[in-house]
Amino acid sequence: MTDKKRVTIIGSGNWGSAIARICAQNTIRHSDTFERDIRMWVFEEQIEGKNLTEIINEKHENVKYLPGINLGENVIAIPDAKEAAKDANILVFVLPHQFVYKVCGNLVDVISKDCVAISLIKGLDYRDNNLFLFSEEIERILNVPCAALSGANIASEVAEEQFGETTIACQDPKYGELFLKLFHTEYFDCNVIADQRGLQICGALKNVVALGAGMCDGLDYGNNTKAAVIRRGLIEMRKFGKTFFGGVRTETFFESCGVADLITTCSGGRNRKVSAAFIKSDKPIEEVEKEMLNGQKLQGTTTAQEVYAFLSARNMTGEFPLMTAIYKVVYERAPAETIARDLRTHKAIVEKE
């Protein structure tokens, strides 16, 4: 019986495919630790009359979500989540957050007893007037330790091996070492920290701030205004994490998962891009999203709704003026100029450590 770890990627969008490629390189590099083959759960789709899983396994390329990139011959696409996850020792969750509960519920009976998980999901779950972190929800449902990974990681650039950094948050050092082996490469530099909550707050809220940055671009505002939005956004991200989630550390916001991811997303991410187009159109943002993203979904719009509902239930929208303004522009059709106007009329409160 082998002691090598079996790795399964749960998800196969552009980021899921890019991270599968990294894991596939590292299972070969660290053959004493991992089994060679990476199993990747792929939601089955038809591409020109052929199953996407068949295309991936024949061409070693996700032609829909990461075209032109060879994933590696040891990435095996599987259309059934239970089959993909069966007896896995490491589960890498990188799927739209609306599917987390259903998928996890289906996996309870098939994963190995020594399984560990890591969440690459950038979002929060809002229900019963509360917000939940997906690493903690995965941990609760599957009864396995679950770490988290987030950083300034545009999937196409990672897949092209352009240098970048990421942050792994893991409270148990032995699992931190395992995940470092699975994800770290010369071009994908990983740093391990313990603050899982802070990392995930950054990963979720930066997408909301990126909508604001996109609004600045859609309004043809200059770099000064956009920089102000990004800076105020970082302040609100930090304040939100420290106010509502215990254990969040200020240092986390200076990791790749924090300010670096915020800058990247506000410069070139899909939330910024779609938001800018939304401002220049007279269409609902959902329609613009559908036209521009080839079936993929924004995270920022959903998170903006959830954060606004969460704050409204606590009568605290006034304490987070930027996130409130972003929500109102997108969903209440408030004038887009609200973004800059509200920055002028609110003074940021600097918290004491």
Side-chain angles (χ1 to χ4, degrees), residues 194-195 198 238 242 245-254 353:
D195 183 9
R238 176 176 171 273
K242 284 183 166 288
F245 291 87
V248 171
R249 300 180 63 85
T250 292
E251 306 94 274
T252 302
F253 294 83
F254 295 96
E353 288 301 315

Side-chain angles (χ1 to χ4, degrees), residues 29-30 35 38-39 72 78 98 114 118 150 186 233 237 254 263 277-278 281 283 287 291 313 326 334 341 344:
R29 183 175 294 117
H30 301 292
E35 288 192 358
I38 297 285
R39 290 177 288 182
I78 299 174
Q98 59 265 36
D114 64 343
I118 186 165
S150 184
E186 290 184 356
M237 287 164 56
F254 295 96
I263 292 169
F278 162 72
S281 77
K283 302 174 182 177
E287 189 173 335
E291 292 173 356
I326 290 167
R341 186 193 70 200
R344 289 195 297 267

Side-chain angles (χ1 to χ4, degrees), residues 103-172:
V103 171
C104 283
N106 287 334
L107 302 185
V108 171
D109 298 328
V110 300
I111 59 176
S112 66
K113 293 181 180 179
D114 64 343
C115 184
V116 296
I118 186 165
S119 171
L120 279 64
I121 300 163
K122 291 184 176 179
L124 302 168
D125 182 49
Y126 178 74
R127 66 180 192 277
D128 302 326
N129 285 333
N130 277 303
L131 288 169
F132 299 88
L133 302 172
F134 281 107
S135 73
E136 295 178 1
E137 291 298 278
I138 291 168
E139 196 165 90
R140 177 182 63 80
I141 297 168
L142 296 181
N143 195 29
V144 300
C146 186
L149 181 152
S150 184
N153 308 138
I154 292 177
S156 60
E157 295 182 12
V158 173
E160 292 167 359
E161 300 192 6
Q162 297 183 35
F163 179 80
E165 300 176 315
T166 200
T167 312
I168 297 169
C170 185
Q171 295 179 336
D172 190 323

Side-chain angles (χ1 to χ4, degrees), residues 31-45:
S31 59
D32 57 331
T33 303
F34 305 107
E35 288 192 358
R36 184 179 186 277
D37 287 348
I38 297 285
R39 290 177 288 182
M40 179 171 72
W41 172 56
V42 176
F43 182 78
E44 194 69 279
E45 298 179 63

Side-chain angles (χ1 to χ4, degrees), residues 21-22 25 158-159 161-165 185-189:
R21 183 176 184 271
I22 284 178
Q25 292 174 354
V158 173
E161 300 192 6
Q162 297 183 35
F163 179 80
E165 300 176 315
T185 70
E186 290 184 356
Y187 64 88
F188 194 62
D189 192 37

Side-chain angles (χ1 to χ4, degrees), residues 194-350:
D195 183 9
Q196 292 183 211
R197 289 184 161 187
L199 177 142
Q200 290 172 93
I201 291 298
C202 289
L205 299 188
K206 58 95 181 182
N207 285 323
V208 180
V209 180
L211 295 176
M215 290 172 190
C216 292
D217 290 343
L219 291 164
D220 296 320
Y221 287 164
N223 292 325
N224 292 348
T225 307
K226 189 172 179 179
V229 166
I230 294 171
R231 189 190 75 85
R232 299 289 182 95
L234 183 63
I235 289 172
E236 290 193 15
M237 287 164 56
R238 176 176 171 273
K239 181 179 178 181
F240 193 95
K242 284 183 166 288
T243 301
F244 302 116
F245 291 87
V248 171
R249 300 180 63 85
T250 292
E251 306 94 274
T252 302
F253 294 83
F254 295 96
E255 291 284 343
S256 179
C257 64
V259 65
D261 194 12
L262 179 63
I263 292 169
T264 297
T265 308
C266 289
S267 301
R270 70 181 70 159
N271 289 279
R272 184 216 61 81
K273 181 180 178 181
V274 173
S275 179
F278 162 72
I279 294 300
K280 290 181 178 292
S281 77
D282 57 357
K283 302 174 182 177
I285 200 164
E286 293 84 0
E287 189 173 335
V288 180
E289 171 192 66
K290 186 177 180 180
E291 292 173 356
M292 296 181 67
L293 294 187
N294 192 30
Q296 297 191 84
K297 296 292 184 181
L298 295 177
Q299 297 292 330
T301 50
T302 302
T303 304
Q305 289 178 299
E306 293 169 340
V307 166
Y308 183 77
F310 178 84
L311 293 172
S312 294
R314 290 156 178 77
N315 295 316
M316 294 180 70
T317 55
E319 295 190 35
F320 297 86
L322 178 63
M323 293 189 192
T324 297
I326 290 167
Y327 169 84
K328 289 186 175 182
V329 170
V330 174
Y331 290 106
E332 296 182 0
R333 303 305 297 225
E337 292 79 10
T338 300
I339 296 299
R341 186 193 70 200
D342 282 11
L343 285 179
R344 289 195 297 267
T345 56
H346 290 84
K347 295 293 183 182
I349 297 174
V350 179

